[in-house]
Amino acid sequence: MSKRDYYDVLGVSKGADADEIKKAYRKMAIKYHPDKNQGDKDAEEKFKEAAEAYEVLSNPEKRQRYNQFGHAANAHSANGGGYGSGGMNMEDIFSQFGDIFGGGSPFGDFFGGGGGGRQGGGRRVARGSNLRIKVRLTLEEIANGAEKKIKVNKQVICKTCDGSGAKDKSSFQTCKTCGGQGAVRRVTNTILGQMQTTSTCPTCNGEGSVITSKCSVCHGDGVVRGEETISINIPAGVSEGMQLSMSGKGNAAPRGGVPGDLIILIEEIPHETLKRDGNNIIYDLHITFIDAALGTSVEVPTIDGKAKIKIDPGTQGGKILRLKGKGVPEVNSYHRGDQLIHVNIWTPKALSNEERALLEKLQNSPNFKPNPGKNEKSFFERMKEYFE
């Protein structure tokens, strides 16, 4: 099933500003919130879909990439799953966007404060920071796709305490300030009556418990510096400047939280003889005047190896030959570009006396006088054909 357009999901136009997007997401989140639709799988999926759309459209960089590449900018993963936000679970959503409602579940007051859609009531889930890396690819790797194994230095879960930050399992106690809820509620009297507000517990920082004896290795953080080798499957057709993200492959989060994402910036390594123009490959072929007049066969490089092409007798300089389907594939599509060969006729810069005498002898021959026919395309016509 194909993904819906993120703007359609939130019901906003492509020119919507940040406030409009935030209001639209809040409306959708309230409508399909798990607390309000307990046991309704369809509502849960729509809740996740709205969160995924908001994650992209609320981030200026992700929104720009989405506007340029659509779902292709976030549509691939190293394990065949999803780059970007397609793998979000309920904890991801609440940890990232809980503040959209001013903290916690917007339905906590209506359903006894349980926050049925969240595990652990109002407890806050920490999130690790994102990491950015650059991956340089050859033109051949871009055309065919590639698997890259990258060593990344980052925050990893402490193996000594298994990420808990505590010396052992008995080194925890329930937070006395919030009673293990991770949030504190305050009731204030106003002219309109009593108003109840919920905020993160200042003592346990929303975790619901405090450590009484810290791990000696990570000193209570639950994470340490380490190295991880990550396998990245780069889809065919990516381009310079495109960013891909791998969910959960960034820095580990303190004390068992949600890890951040790994952001992958694509860089293209210039090819020695081929140039890329969108999905097309450009090659400048230089032939002699003799070959252009008599015709010949030549080998040209392509991203798949060598290809033999025929040069017809009387070929004019500036002619563009097309090798269908020899370009770069489009991301998430069966369409593939072409290879365009620009024919350039090489004019010798130095001549021997014998060569000069031969050319002077042919200079006045009627076949050597420029006489373009009606079928001969002008430079502008060739350029128009090239861009089409």
Side-chain angles (χ1 to χ4, degrees), residues 30-212:
I30 290 175
K31 182 177 181 181
Y32 296 114
H33 196 281
D35 285 348
K36 190 179 179 182
N37 302 274
Q38 296 186 33
D40 188 337
K41 289 293 182 182
D42 184 57
E44 182 179 326
E45 288 306 315
K46 287 182 178 178
F47 182 75
K48 290 179 181 178
E49 184 182 44
E52 180 178 335
Y54 180 71
E55 184 197 24
V56 173
L57 300 184
S58 64
N59 183 303
E61 287 185 14
K62 290 184 178 181
R63 184 178 181 181
Q64 183 181 3
R65 295 200 304 273
Y66 177 73
N67 289 342
Q68 185 176 0
F69 302 108
H71 291 299
N74 304 290
H76 296 271
S77 80
N79 56 9
Y83 275 117
S85 48
M88 294 180 74
N89 57 38
M90 300 303 287
E91 286 299 332
D92 291 337
I93 295 169
F94 285 120
S95 66
Q96 290 184 61
F97 309 130
D99 61 338
I100 201 86
F101 307 106
S105 169
F107 300 101
D109 297 336
F110 302 156
F111 294 94
R118 301 179 64 175
Q119 188 177 10
R123 292 181 186 176
R124 178 183 175 186
V125 180
R127 182 174 177 83
S129 59
N130 293 341
L131 283 175
R132 292 179 179 270
I133 62 170
K134 292 180 180 180
V135 174
R136 305 187 76 221
L137 301 172
T138 65
L139 189 55
E140 290 80 5
E141 288 175 325
I142 289 171
N144 300 309
E147 182 180 0
K148 294 285 187 178
K149 290 187 177 181
I150 308 292
K151 284 187 177 181
V152 180
N153 188 278
K154 64 174 189 173
Q155 295 276 8
V156 297
I157 292 174
C158 175
K159 293 182 179 179
T160 303
C161 65
D162 200 23
S164 69
K167 181 180 178 180
D168 50 45
K169 292 182 179 180
S170 62
S171 299
F172 286 99
Q173 70 176 26
T174 301
C175 176
K176 295 179 180 178
T177 303
C178 64
Q181 293 299 309
V184 291
R185 300 188 179 190
R186 294 180 177 86
V187 178
T188 55
N189 294 317
T190 69
I191 57 174
L192 300 175
Q194 289 188 332
M195 286 189 66
Q196 183 174 272
T197 58
T198 305
S199 61
T200 301
C201 176
T203 303
C204 65
N205 293 318
E207 293 182 18
S209 61
V210 293
I211 297 173
T212 56

Side-chain angles (χ1 to χ4, degrees), residues 263-277:
I263 310 299
I264 303 144
L265 176 65
I266 301 297
E267 287 190 354
E268 293 187 18
I269 301 173
H271 196 278
E272 290 183 2
T273 55
L274 302 175
K275 294 179 182 178
R276 181 181 180 184
D277 182 17

